Amino acid sequence: MAGDKMAKGMRGVPADYPERWKRWTKWFRGGGSAGRVRALRVADKALVVVFVALYLLLAWAFVQASPTFGIGFLASTAACFVAMGLLRRWLNWPRPYEAFDIKPLVRRKDGEGGKSFPSRHAFSAFLIATMLAIVLQSFAGMVPLLLAALLGCARVLEGVHFPRDVAAGAALGVAAAFACMAVSVL
């Protein structure tokens, strides 16, 4: 790890993280694992699409129920997404493959790095899933939360986030969901 930025971004990451990650991903590496890695990546992308669709469905339902509530929902969630982007840019903590000798399971774009903490995918998924759980107030509302957790696990297994990145993104997403619902009602 070189520089203050790298050291700063390593809070909450055990020194033996590379060994842990290699144990967690053993099934995805080695002979015949290309299909498993491809399935992991497809699952990640599919879950992102599911959450975008759920967000659009929520927005449509809220606008139909009350245009004022719908506008409050759209404005508050947009503000949360922008704030998350600014926070990640300001912190700019390294990703696992930048901080350690880890080859992620998915190809990264050249020059793409940093902005690992908190996970934007986990934040967005948990914000949307929590809002659905609040609205549905039934066991069905737990399904999106489970899917959000799976998305977070996929991001860690792929080697693009540390578990602390996903946990922080999830916690902030849940808090943001409650804040957005409260603001939207006003």
Side-chain angles (χ1 to χ4, degrees):
M1 291 180 285
D4 291 337
K5 194 167 277 197
M6 289 296 225
K8 174 182 157 189
M10 297 315 300
R11 292 182 199 147
V13 177
D16 68 341
Y17 184 79
E19 292 79 28
R20 291 180 187 200
W21 183 79
K22 286 176 183 168
R23 277 195 315 271
W24 299 336
T25 60
K26 185 177 181 180
W27 188 68
F28 292 100
R29 294 178 287 108
S33 63
R36 293 187 288 260
V37 171
R38 194 170 25 260
L40 178 65
R41 191 66 181 148
V42 166
D44 179 330
K45 295 292 187 189
L47 286 169
V48 169
V49 169
V50 164
F51 281 105
V52 168
L54 289 174
Y55 177 78
L56 294 173
L57 182 63
L58 265 175
W60 178 81
F62 289 158
V63 168
Q64 293 300 311
S66 164
T68 304
F69 185 78
I71 290 168
F73 165 79
L74 291 169
S76 62
T77 55
C80 287
F81 293 138
V82 168
M84 174 55 65
L86 293 172
L87 175 64
R88 287 164 41 92
R89 179 176 285 179
W90 177 67
L91 292 172
N92 198 28
W93 286 8
R95 293 183 179 268
Y97 57 86
E98 295 174 299
F100 294 106
D101 185 24
I102 289 176
K103 182 181 178 201
L105 296 178
V106 296
R107 287 180 44 188
R108 306 306 305 159
K109 297 174 187 165
D110 288 338
E112 183 178 311
K115 298 189 266 316
S116 183
F117 180 86
S119 166
R120 181 177 49 220
H121 282 80
F123 172 80
S124 302
F126 274 92
L127 184 148
I128 296 162
T130 302
M131 291 181 114
L132 274 167
I134 292 168
V135 169
L136 296 175
Q137 295 185 0
S138 69
F139 182 74
M142 299 305 289
V143 173
L145 289 168
L146 175 64
L147 293 177
L150 290 174
L151 177 60
C153 288
R155 304 296 291 169
V156 170
L157 289 173
E158 289 171 353
V160 297
H161 281 295
F162 293 107
R164 58 105 203 255
D165 303 339
V166 170
L172 290 170
V174 169
F178 281 99
C180 287
M181 291 298 281
V183 168
S184 297
V185 172
L186 298 177

